[in-house]
Amino acid sequence: ARQVTLWRRWEHKYCNITVLSGYFSNVKGTHDKKLVYPNLYSFIIANAASGKSAAKYAKVFGKNYHQELRKSSQELMKEYKKAKSEYDKSKKSNKTENIEEPEKPNQLMFFIPGDTSEASLIGHIGENEGKGCVFETEADTISGANKQEWGGFSPVLRKNFHHEDISRTRKTDDEFTEISNSRFSFLTTGTPNQVNGLIPNSEDGLYSRFLFYVFSIPYEWRTTYTQEIGDSMDVILYKLGESFYTNQKNVKEKRFSLTPKQGNKLDNTFKSILKNMKNDDCQDEAVSVLYRHGLMTYKIAMTLSAIESNNDTITCSDKVFDLSINLITDVFLGNSLEQLKRMSNSNINSRSKQISFLKALPIDFERKEAVSVAKKIGIPQRSADNYLKILVQQGKIIKQTHGSYRKYN
């Protein structure tokens, strides 16, 4: 029973932080000299009938905001339809010379559906200025859409995580969409077998952008009797959601920062973990996971600090910082590295490929030449670039100048 309680406690915290990271899109900071927003990607993995669906309760922290956006959007759409009808009537009678055609309003929402195509996803996030939260409690709902022939989510998710511009051209009407500073969050749950549907392998960089919480609980009957409607989780959490939305708004832009001491602790903590990983001769995907978990420590601290402070300038408290770094180092990093071992192409043979790549390289070489060598032995360009970074970190090759390397003998 205690194991089940622990699972549900972590699950709720995990989901809540993810939804809130999407809600606080008005908070920004600087990490590694780059502009950063709080948005997080999370994947809860557990066996069937384990209560993963309880993740839905995290929606309370965005539900009121979502409903407000939908209501506003529906009212604007009513006005648009009325104006469009009048415009069409005038057009038929050739009386549109001094009348502008009304512009269709955006479909505003906070919770973005995951059961959609890549084009529709870009459309939704474009209409919402790159903000929101993709929230699906069944990973196969998303992965079903992800496999559709007109594209997958991976490129969009990879760009969004680092707030890169997302663009799309639709051939049918030559419509061009471009989204700057995209920063939506992503939350889903699934069984171990459903992970590969959304993230087929660990090589394209999407895997390392996710926080994973992997759990397995023994099957046992839990007490289901509820005396009053008011005792239900739905009612209790609805009130919590209302209270949160009343007191926490995400309109005004806010700036977040760590203290110098906290920044040093973050760097030293992950530097130490990396050193241990290198000593264990870890695979390159594991290093990518570590690097991005350093960034996600910062993002979690942003999210929790936004709850704690209503100031326009937010400095992370030591309490929040310690909680954030402990969540990553004690919970999420270990879960992500364990799940990595179960991924297809999570490179059981990655180490041997890396060794073959190193052996095939000449003593002195340029990046272009290294990519060519990699291609001949079946290694993609992206992996070749990752191998170069890892080999430099391991001291097996030396980066002499930009794009120029030498093998260490």
Side-chain angles (χ1 to χ4, degrees):
R2 181 175 180 274
Q3 196 176 24
V4 176
T5 302
L6 283 171
W7 153 243
R8 293 203 175 119
R9 185 182 70 187
W10 274 115
E11 178 197 32
H12 284 301
K13 285 182 179 177
Y14 185 28
C15 296
N16 293 346
I17 290 171
T18 307
V19 171
L20 289 166
S21 75
Y23 179 78
F24 288 117
S25 59
N26 59 316
V27 181
K28 63 182 179 181
T30 307
H31 177 80
D32 193 22
K33 298 182 175 65
K34 299 180 183 74
L35 183 66
V36 171
Y37 294 91
N39 63 306
L40 292 163
Y41 297 166
S42 300
F43 202 138
I44 294 174
I45 305 168
N47 50 310
S50 61
K52 296 185 302 299
S53 61
K56 68 182 181 182
Y57 291 120
K59 273 195 166 184
V60 299
F61 292 108
K63 191 171 184 179
N64 290 77
Y65 179 48
H66 179 78
Q67 289 174 339
E68 185 177 293
L69 290 174
R70 293 304 305 140
K71 184 179 178 181
S72 172
S73 186
Q74 287 160 5
E75 288 172 355
L76 289 170
M77 186 59 74
K78 272 185 187 178
E79 293 174 11
Y80 163 75
K81 286 181 177 178
K82 184 179 178 181
K84 185 70 165 66
S85 176
E86 291 174 359
Y87 174 82
D88 289 340
K89 287 176 183 176
S90 299
K91 190 176 181 181
K92 284 181 182 179
S93 57
N94 296 317
K95 295 178 180 178
T96 59
E97 290 180 7
N98 298 317
I99 305 174
E100 284 188 16
E101 183 175 357
E103 187 176 339
K104 190 175 181 180
N106 290 337
Q107 287 288 336
L108 305 177
M109 63 189 75
F110 175 66
F111 290 115
I112 301 168
D115 184 11
T116 185
S117 66
E118 180 197 28
S120 294
L121 176 65
I122 292 175
H124 284 315
I125 62 177
E127 291 189 342
N128 289 275
E129 299 178 333
K131 305 168 189 176
C133 180
V134 176
F135 191 122
E136 291 289 350
T137 54
E138 294 295 338
D140 53 1
T141 299
I142 301 169
S143 59
N146 198 15
K147 289 178 182 176
Q148 296 185 59
E149 62 182 1
W150 53 85
F153 291 161
S154 184
V156 177
L157 292 176
R158 294 202 310 267
K159 288 181 178 180
N160 173 75
F161 187 81
H162 291 294
H163 323 300
E164 297 173 34
D165 290 348
I166 298 171
S167 58
R168 171 183 64 103
T169 300
R170 195 162 61 186
K171 293 180 180 179
T172 51
D173 53 8
D174 201 30
E175 180 187 331
F176 179 72
T177 302
E178 186 172 46
I179 308 159
S180 297
N181 278 340
S182 179
R183 49 192 183 274
F184 64 87
S185 294
F186 189 102
L187 172 63
T188 192
T189 71
T191 61
N193 291 334
Q194 292 175 329
V195 178
N196 281 20
L198 179 63
I199 310 172
N201 61 67
S202 57
E203 289 192 314
D204 75 350
L206 181 58
Y207 180 90
S208 62
R209 288 163 167 82
F210 270 83
L211 289 169
F212 286 92
Y213 188 71
V214 187
F215 203 82
S216 177
I217 62 172
Y219 293 121
E220 59 181 44
W221 192 263
R222 66 178 184 272
T223 302
T224 60
Y225 175 69
T226 307
Q227 188 169 356
E228 298 287 344
I229 289 292
D231 296 332
S232 72
M233 286 289 287
D234 301 83
V235 173
I236 293 167
L237 290 172
Y238 177 76
K239 291 177 181 176
L240 177 63
E242 279 194 322
S243 174
F244 168 79
Y245 190 58
T246 299
N247 295 296
Q248 297 281 354
K249 298 299 180 183
N250 63 351
V251 178
K252 200 171 184 181
E253 186 177 283
K254 298 183 178 184
R255 294 300 302 257
F256 167 84
S257 63
L258 300 177
T259 65
K261 183 180 176 182
Q262 292 163 357
N264 287 332
K265 184 175 179 180
L266 190 153
D267 287 339
N268 291 334
T269 298
F270 284 89
K271 189 184 292 183
S272 175
I273 297 171
L274 177 61
K275 183 179 179 180
N276 292 333
M277 289 173 72
K278 285 163 68 176
N279 290 339
D280 294 338
D281 202 25
C282 64
Q283 61 194 55
D284 53 342
E285 291 98 327
V287 176
S288 294
V289 167
L290 178 68
Y291 285 160
R292 291 208 167 97
H293 275 61
L295 170 58
M296 289 188 276
T297 300
Y298 186 88
K299 285 172 173 267
I300 290 174
M302 292 179 83
T303 304
L304 297 179
S305 295
I307 301 170
E308 191 178 67
S309 173
N310 278 320
N311 297 330
D312 295 345
T313 302
I314 304 171
T315 302
C316 187
S317 68
D318 288 339
K319 180 182 175 182
V320 164
F321 177 77
D322 289 340
L323 174 59
S324 302
I325 204 165
N326 289 338
L327 280 171
I328 290 291
T329 57
D330 295 348
V331 182
F332 299 128
L333 180 59
N335 275 264
S336 293
L337 292 175
E338 279 301 309
Q339 178 60 27
L340 181 62
K341 296 174 184 176
R342 305 184 186 103
M343 294 295 292
S344 59
N345 291 336
S346 119
N347 290 339
I348 296 171
N349 61 350
S350 174
R351 186 56 44 212
S352 62
K353 278 188 177 182
Q354 189 175 309
I355 293 169
S356 299
F357 177 54
L358 180 61
K359 285 181 179 178
L361 291 169
I363 297 298
D364 293 291
F365 60 93
E366 303 291 319
R367 177 192 167 276
K368 188 184 290 186
E369 189 176 359
V371 170
S372 177
V373 167
K375 188 177 180 181
K376 289 176 183 176
I377 56 176
I379 297 173
Q381 179 180 320
R382 188 183 183 90
S383 294
D385 284 328
N386 284 334
Y387 289 163
L388 287 175
K389 289 178 186 176
I390 300 300
L391 291 168
V392 168
Q393 291 163 359
Q394 293 174 344
K396 294 176 181 177
I397 63 174
I398 300 165
K399 189 172 184 179
Q400 301 183 108
T401 59
H402 181 69
S404 177
Y405 301 85
R406 181 179 179 83
K407 282 169 72 170
Y408 183 79
N409 291 323

